[in-house]
Amino acid sequence: MHPHPPAPPRHFEALRWGAALAGFAFLAFGAMRPLSAVDGLAIPDDGYICLEIARNLGTGRGATFAGLVTNGFQPLWVLVLAPMFGLFPRADPDAFVHAALVLGAVFASLSFALLAGWFRDRPRPAAWVVPLAAFWFPSAAVVQNALNAMETSLALLAGTAALTALRPLDGVPLGAMSRRRALAVGALLGLGVLARVDVGLLALGFGLLWLGQALRARSLPHVARLAQTTAVAAAVTAPWWVWSQAATGAWFPVSGRAVRVCSLGGPRAPDGDFYATMLSLAWETWNRHYGGPAAWLLAALALATLAVPDARRA
């Protein structure tokens, strides 16, 4: 195993968590702004669908939308939101939206704190914290994911936590981890899948890498660690798959009938060329979120990166 890295300066942890708290305050300011200012910028329709399902679940009406049972949601996020509807059934409806946005800000800030911790074993680790915070919190992607009333920040936190649990194995086969770490990684990946099913792709990538390492090393203990991690992840997610199949007949989240009821109950879209309308909306969205000098700067950096020769060929 690798030798233990030198201990970071004492002020590193204070700076890391201080930056996370300052970043949370920045995001929370956006979360508490009037919904008229936030709604059109960050919260999509799916955010309100999640809140509606969470309200029905928290008030005893089950996982329903428009009166129909649905699995068209990411379960961990809805389970996190549901208790507040049961505890405060008479609260202002806007307060629940703000609470969801604040939770998103909390998860995004915790993800930053975990990522900043990755620099603990680097030379002068404290020097990395402020630049990382300055890049992370004002980022359009982070703000959008934190303030969309959806599961994205929670899924990011779960995935980051799983990666953080694996970092001590940098350069070491995954199968060499302890049983305790293997079980923790399995639980975190399982929670990540419940937070957002796409995290399953991350888990699949880990599994294939792990299996390849074990087969090359011809190590049964490494395969056993993979089996333990897989078993824990499966145990964490199994209740959701079983309920989903039994209640809706589908294994994976499908909005289906519930969202169709919502769509049919609303106004019809204006007539016109569908593709022209979609292209126009796509361009408008791109300009709103990614246009301006930042996009040109990123493009210039990408071109500069392509121009750098490969060090192995130098």
Side-chain angles (χ1 to χ4, degrees):
M1 299 294 289
H2 296 299
H4 292 290
R10 292 181 178 179
H11 62 276
F12 172 76
E13 292 300 326
L15 185 60
R16 177 167 73 111
W17 288 104
L21 185 60
F24 166 72
F26 169 76
L27 294 174
F29 172 77
M32 296 309 296
R33 294 198 65 198
L35 291 184
S36 58
V38 181
D39 191 32
L41 294 175
I43 308 177
D45 294 345
D46 286 359
Y48 291 107
I49 292 174
C50 291
L51 287 165
E52 174 68 11
I53 296 171
R55 180 177 68 175
N56 292 338
L57 189 62
T59 53
R61 286 174 283 182
T64 59
F65 185 85
L68 300 172
V69 176
T70 179
N71 72 343
F73 59 94
Q74 307 296 338
L76 187 59
W77 175 241
V78 167
L79 288 174
V80 167
L81 295 178
M84 66 180 181
F85 289 98
L87 292 172
F88 307 102
R90 298 183 180 180
D92 180 1
D94 285 2
F96 296 118
V97 183
H98 288 297
L101 301 183
V102 170
L103 280 174
V106 169
F107 296 141
S109 302
L110 291 175
S111 296
F112 162 81
L114 290 177
L115 287 172
W118 292 15
F119 294 93
R120 184 182 288 107
D121 54 357
R122 290 183 175 272
R124 301 179 61 196
W128 295 88
V129 175
V130 173
L132 180 62
F135 173 81
W136 180 264
F137 288 106
S139 164
V142 171
V143 173
Q144 181 87 28
N145 285 339
L147 304 183
N148 60 7
M150 291 178 62
E151 72 286 338
T152 45
S153 284
L154 179 57
L156 176 64
L157 177 60
T160 305
L163 288 170
T164 301
L166 289 169
R167 279 206 76 247
L169 297 169
D170 187 19
V172 178
L174 293 174
M177 72 175 71
S178 66
R179 178 183 303 168
R180 182 177 179 180
R181 188 178 297 275
L183 298 180
V185 169
L188 289 169
L189 289 174
L191 289 173
V193 171
L194 292 179
R196 189 173 175 91
V197 70
D198 312 51
V199 177
L201 297 174
L202 178 66
L204 179 61
F206 279 142
L208 293 175
L209 174 62
W210 198 332
L211 181 61
Q213 290 177 344
L215 292 177
R216 283 197 302 272
R218 298 181 180 179
S219 171
L220 286 179
H222 288 192
V223 175
R225 285 286 183 268
L226 173 59
Q228 291 165 354
T229 301
T230 304
V232 171
V236 169
T237 57
W240 163 251
W241 307 126
V242 172
W243 173 86
S244 179
Q245 174 64 27
T248 69
W251 292 104
F252 294 97
V254 179
S255 299
R257 296 182 306 156
V259 174
R260 186 164 67 249
V261 168
C262 178
S263 300
L264 293 176
R268 289 191 58 186
D271 293 333
D273 182 29
F274 174 80
Y275 295 103
T277 302
M278 290 300 101
L279 287 173
S280 175
L281 289 174
W283 174 249
E284 181 182 332
T285 303
W286 169 264
N287 252 348
R288 183 195 307 168
H289 296 295
Y290 304 105
W296 293 109
L297 177 60
L298 289 175
L301 289 174
L303 290 174
T305 302
L306 291 175
V308 175
D310 191 336
R312 290 172 296 180
R313 298 179 183 177

